[in-house]
Amino acid sequence: MMAVTLSGGGARAAAFGLGVLRELKATGFTLDGQPTTLLDHTALISGVSGGSILAAHFAAFGDATLTRFEPDFLLVPFESRLIREALWPHRLHKLTSPWYGRSQILAQRFDELFEGRTFADVRQRPGAPDLMITATDLTTGAPFDFTAEQFQLICSDLGATPLSFAVAASSAVPLLLSPVTVRNHADTCPHPAAAASASPGQDFRARMLQRNADAYRNAKDKPFIHLVDGGVTDNLGVRLMLDRLVALGSMSANFTDVKPGTIRRLVLVTVNSERGLSERVDNSDRVPTTMQVMETLIFGAGSRETEVTLALLNDDLQRWRDELLRTRGQPGSPFAADAEIHAISVSLHDVPDDKIRHSLLRVPTAFTIEGRDVIELQGAGAAALRASPSFQKLRESLARLATPH
C-alpha cells in the first residue's frame, strides 16, 4: 500500500513528478506469485499547486498519464494561451465582475486537460487511487483539502466537484491569480455528530485540526471559503494527512476497515520540487524590491515550512515504527508479521548529477517551461528516486516478498 505526494512548483514540479511516477512503474516485484509494480499499488496520490495537475491527471487516467501528460500539458504553450484568453474582449468584460476572476479562466483550461472529469469519475474508475488536492484557506491560513472528509464538514458534494476546480484552487498563486470560492453549506443539511471539543491533553496538532473543523461547522460566521495556492501553507501536500493520522492516536486506528494481517508494506513517497532562491536579499543592504520580497516569502519561508513538515514526518515515523514492532502479527492487527514502513523523500536538490541539478534548480515556477527542461526534469526525477538510499532499501525489502518462507 503506497501514498505519493507531489509538491508545488508549476510545470517544473509536474515534470519532475512524472519522472518519479515512471520510475515507480518501472520498479517491478512479485507479490503472491504475481508480477506487479510499485505504481500499481498507489492507494493515495496527493498534490499541491503544480503537483496537483499531475496528481489529478493520474487519478483520472491512470497509467495513460505516463504517455499522455507530457504532450497534453508539459509540451504545450499552456501559459501563453491562458494569457491570450484572459485578454479576449468578452473575458475582459467578465473580469470586471466581482464574482469572476482569473482563476476561473485557469479552471476552464484545466477542464479541457482533464476532459471534464469530476471526483466521482475518479472514484468510479477501476483501480484509481484516492485523490487529495490541497489548497489554502485565505482567512485562516490553514490547509483545505478536497477530500470527502473535508466536504462533509461543509455539507457539500465532493463527487460533483470538477477536478479542474480543485486544481485551480490549489494553483491560485496569491496576487497573480484570484482566489477560488467555495460555499459553506454546513447549516443547510443534517450534519454528522461533531466530535467533542478538543481537550488540553490532546496533541497540539489534533487540537488545531479540531479547531479548524469547528470553524467550518459554523456556516453563519463562515458562509464562504476563499482558497489560494496550497503551497502557501504546505508545499509538500502531506501536513494535513499526517495531522489526521496522528489525531486518531495510533497507526492501527487508521486501518480499521482492513482485513487483519493483510498489510505487509506501507510506503510514503514525497516528491519535493521546490527550487532555491534566485537571489539572496541578505547579501545586500539595499531595500528589497517588491518582487524580491514576494520571491523570498514564497521560496524562502516556504522552504523552512517544508523542513518543519519533514521533521514532523520523521518523528511520526519513529512512533509508528515502534507501534508496528509491538503490534504486527498480533490478533486483530491489520499488519502482517513482517510488516514494514518505508518513507522515501525525493527532492530536486538530490539529483545526483551536479550540472543537471544546478540547471534544473533555476527552472522558473510557471505553467510552461522549455521543452529541454521538461525532458531533463523527468530524467532527474527517475534518477533521484533510484539514488535514494530509502528507495534502495525498499527494493531489497520487496525482493524478500518473493522469497518463500
Side-chain angles (χ1 to χ4, degrees):
M1 184 179 296
M2 183 171 70
V4 178
T5 69
L6 302 167
S7 82
R12 180 187 66 250
F16 187 69
L18 181 58
V20 173
L21 294 187
R22 284 178 170 168
E23 187 63 23
L24 291 172
K25 185 64 179 179
T27 305
F29 63 101
T30 301
L31 181 64
D32 297 328
Q34 299 296 319
T36 185
T37 76
L38 267 177
L39 191 62
D40 296 336
H41 292 269
T42 303
L44 168 71
I45 189 161
S46 166
V48 171
S49 195
S52 73
I53 307 171
L54 176 60
H57 199 279
F58 179 73
F61 304 112
D63 285 356
T65 294
L66 304 181
T67 55
R68 287 183 49 184
F69 190 73
E70 182 180 334
D72 288 356
F73 175 72
L74 293 173
L75 296 180
V76 300
F78 188 91
E79 190 164 302
S80 61
R81 182 177 173 184
L82 193 67
I83 294 172
R84 286 199 308 272
E85 291 188 7
L87 296 177
W88 286 352
H90 77 284
R91 297 280 196 200
L92 289 173
H93 173 70
K94 282 188 174 182
L95 286 171
T96 63
S97 168
W99 296 281
Y100 188 89
R102 294 179 296 279
S103 291
Q104 274 79 3
I105 302 174
L106 178 63
Q108 290 171 8
R109 288 289 292 113
F110 282 144
D111 205 47
E112 296 174 16
L113 177 66
F114 302 134
E115 299 179 1
R117 298 291 201 282
T118 64
F119 278 82
D121 293 325
V122 168
R123 285 201 303 264
Q124 292 167 8
R125 184 177 71 79
D130 290 336
L131 173 64
M132 176 176 171
I133 301 296
T134 304
T136 298
D137 187 322
L138 183 61
T139 305
T140 65
F144 179 99
D145 59 333
F146 285 77
T147 60
E149 184 174 4
Q150 178 70 68
F151 272 57
Q152 285 174 359
L153 287 174
I154 62 174
C155 291
S156 192
D157 183 7
L158 177 67
T161 304
L163 299 182
S164 56
F165 183 88
V167 173
S170 184
S171 305
V173 178
L175 302 181
L176 297 179
L177 290 165
S178 56
V180 172
T181 303
V182 175
R183 180 68 184 263
N184 187 357
H185 298 282
D187 58 347
T188 64
C189 70
H191 206 285
S197 298
S199 64
Q202 278 185 307
D203 178 274
F204 169 76
R205 292 153 68 187
R207 295 200 305 272
M208 289 296 295
L209 199 63
Q210 183 63 53
R211 190 173 79 173
N212 288 335
D214 291 341
Y216 289 121
R217 290 190 180 99
N218 188 354
K220 181 179 180 181
D221 288 346
K222 195 178 180 65
F224 299 99
I225 305 162
H226 300 289
L227 303 173
V228 295
D229 194 308
V232 172
T233 52
D234 175 21
N235 198 51
L236 282 181
V238 73
R239 182 79 69 88
L240 196 52
M241 179 174 64
L242 292 177
D243 289 348
R244 285 183 175 145
L245 289 171
V246 168
L248 289 178
S250 71
M251 197 63 179
S252 298
N254 290 278
F255 299 100
T256 55
D257 57 344
V258 174
K259 184 178 179 181
T262 57
I263 298 179
R264 302 186 65 183
R265 300 293 183 272
L266 283 175
V267 181
L268 173 63
V269 179
T270 60
V271 183
N272 180 11
S273 308
E274 68 181 4
R275 67 174 178 85
L277 294 171
S278 60
E279 184 179 2
R280 292 285 299 271
V281 296
D282 48 10
N283 287 334
S284 171
D285 62 353
R286 298 181 63 179
V287 176
T289 66
T290 300
M291 291 304 297
Q292 287 175 325
V293 170
M294 284 186 60
E295 184 190 66
T296 303
L297 284 174
I298 292 173
F299 297 111
S303 178
R304 184 180 183 279
E305 282 303 305
T306 295
E307 290 182 8
V308 171
T309 299
L310 290 174
L312 289 171
L313 172 59
N314 286 333
D315 288 347
D316 293 339
L317 281 170
Q318 186 57 56
R319 289 196 301 273
W320 293 334
R321 284 179 174 134
D322 291 343
E323 177 190 342
L324 192 65
L325 289 175
R326 295 194 309 270
T327 63
R328 63 183 182 181
Q330 298 297 314
S333 171
F335 304 114
D338 63 346
E340 298 174 355
I341 299 178
H342 296 266
I344 301 160
S345 178
V346 184
S347 172
L348 196 53
H349 293 270
D350 297 333
V351 173
D353 188 295
D354 290 345
K355 183 178 179 181
I356 293 177
R357 181 176 66 254
H358 291 312
S359 172
L360 296 181
L361 284 171
R362 292 196 295 269
V363 175
T365 301
F367 287 121
T368 301
I369 58 178
E370 295 293 331
R372 181 185 64 182
D373 292 332
V374 167
I375 303 302
E376 290 193 345
L377 279 161
Q378 292 177 62
L385 180 61
R386 287 194 301 269
S388 164
S390 298
F391 182 66
Q392 293 168 12
K393 288 181 180 178
L394 172 61
R395 294 188 66 173
E396 293 172 0
S397 175
L398 292 175
R400 293 197 298 272
L401 288 175
T403 305
H405 294 289

